[in-house]
Amino acid sequence: MTDTDIANITKKIVAGGHPQAANTAFWYMRAFFTGVANRRNGSPRFPRERIGKAGTGCEPEPSDIGYSFGPIVKLLMLTGQRRTEVAAMRWSELSLEAGTWELSGDRTKNEEPTLIPLSTLAVSVPQSYRRPMTRLFSLRGATALENWTLHDLRRTLATNLGRRQVLPHVIEHILNHKAASLTDIGEIYNLYTYVKEKREVLQMWSNHIEWMIKQAAEMDALAA
C-alpha cells in the first residue's frame, strides 16, 4: 500500500460525491498504517513516572532543568508544539485572557498558521513571570533532561491521545501537521479548524499531566 494507492482511494470516494467520507477514510487509513509502522519499528514508551518527574523539575525555582528551559519543557508537554516554536514564543502571540497562542505561518515548520488553545496549567506558565522583552524565554545556561530528547514530548502527547481514542484528525490539528489540511481534499471541503475539540483534548491532557506531577511529588516526599 503506497501513498498513491491511498490517494486513488480517496479520489474515487470524492468522485462519487462523498468528500467528507473521503476525509474520514483518509484519517482512518493514516491512523491504521501509522500504528502498524510504530509496532514494527518499536515506538518509544515513557513511564508516567518520568513524565511526572519532568514536570516537577519544570518549576522556575528551584529547578534541576534551568530557569528558562523548565517552563519551555512544561509547555512542550502541555501543547505538543515543536521545540523551536515554544522556545521562540512571543508575548504578541499570546492572549492569556482567552487562553490562546496564535502562530503565523512564518513561525511554523510547515508554514501553516495555527491557533493553540492553552489549558489552565499552560496559561500559568507565562502568567508566572513577565519580562520586558519580545520573547518570553532565554536559553542561556539551559540544560537538558537526561535520556530525553525534546521531540519525545511531542510524540508522547500524540501517543497518549491516541490511546485515549482522540480522533486522528484532531491529534493532527493539535500537532499542526501538514496532513491535517488533506491538501486537495481537506483544503477544499473541510475548512473547520477544530479549536473547540483541541481545547477539550488539551485540557484533558493537562489534567492528566497535573495528576502525574502530583504523584511524582508525593513519591519524592515519601523517599526523602
Side-chain angles (χ1 to χ4, degrees), residues 206-222:
S206 174
N207 294 342
H208 183 63
I209 290 288
E210 201 162 9
W211 177 82
M212 287 192 292
I213 292 173
K214 182 180 178 181
Q215 293 294 308
E218 289 177 355
M219 291 175 64
D220 285 347
L222 291 173

Side-chain angles (χ1 to χ4, degrees), residues 32-102:
F32 172 76
F33 288 112
T34 298
V36 170
N38 286 343
R39 284 191 293 272
R40 182 179 301 164
N41 298 330
S43 295
R45 297 182 180 180
F46 302 103
R48 67 188 187 191
E49 292 82 2
R50 293 183 67 192
I51 300 175
K53 183 65 175 176
T56 61
C58 288
E59 300 305 322
E61 191 168 308
S63 175
D64 296 327
I65 300 177
Y67 182 79
S68 293
F69 203 70
I72 290 172
V73 171
K74 197 170 200 176
L75 285 173
L76 288 170
M77 287 194 296
L78 294 168
T79 68
Q81 302 310 298
R82 298 174 178 90
R83 60 184 181 271
T84 53
E85 295 162 358
V86 172
M89 180 181 279
R90 301 166 185 167
W91 288 110
S92 60
E93 298 168 344
L94 293 169
S95 175
L96 299 184
E97 295 78 11
T100 58
W101 173 28
E102 188 170 6

Side-chain angles (χ1 to χ4, degrees), residues 123-143:
V123 168
S124 72
V125 175
Q127 279 181 337
S128 65
Y129 66 96
R130 180 175 290 273
R131 297 181 180 184
M133 299 165 58
T134 301
R135 296 183 179 182
L136 274 73
F137 305 119
S138 169
L139 292 179
R140 288 181 296 179
T143 57

Side-chain angles (χ1 to χ4, degrees), residues 119-172:
S119 66
T120 52
L121 188 57
V123 168
S124 72
V125 175
Q127 279 181 337
S128 65
Y129 66 96
R130 180 175 290 273
R131 297 181 180 184
M133 299 165 58
T134 301
R135 296 183 179 182
L136 274 73
F137 305 119
S138 169
L139 292 179
R140 288 181 296 179
T143 57
L145 281 168
E146 186 178 359
N147 297 326
W148 280 65
T149 64
L150 294 181
H151 193 74
D152 290 337
L153 297 170
R154 183 171 160 89
R155 186 181 297 113
T156 296
L157 178 142
T159 300
N160 278 274
L161 295 187
R163 287 174 181 161
R164 287 163 174 74
Q165 299 183 351
V166 176
L167 293 175
H169 56 277
V170 176
I171 298 175
E172 296 296 325

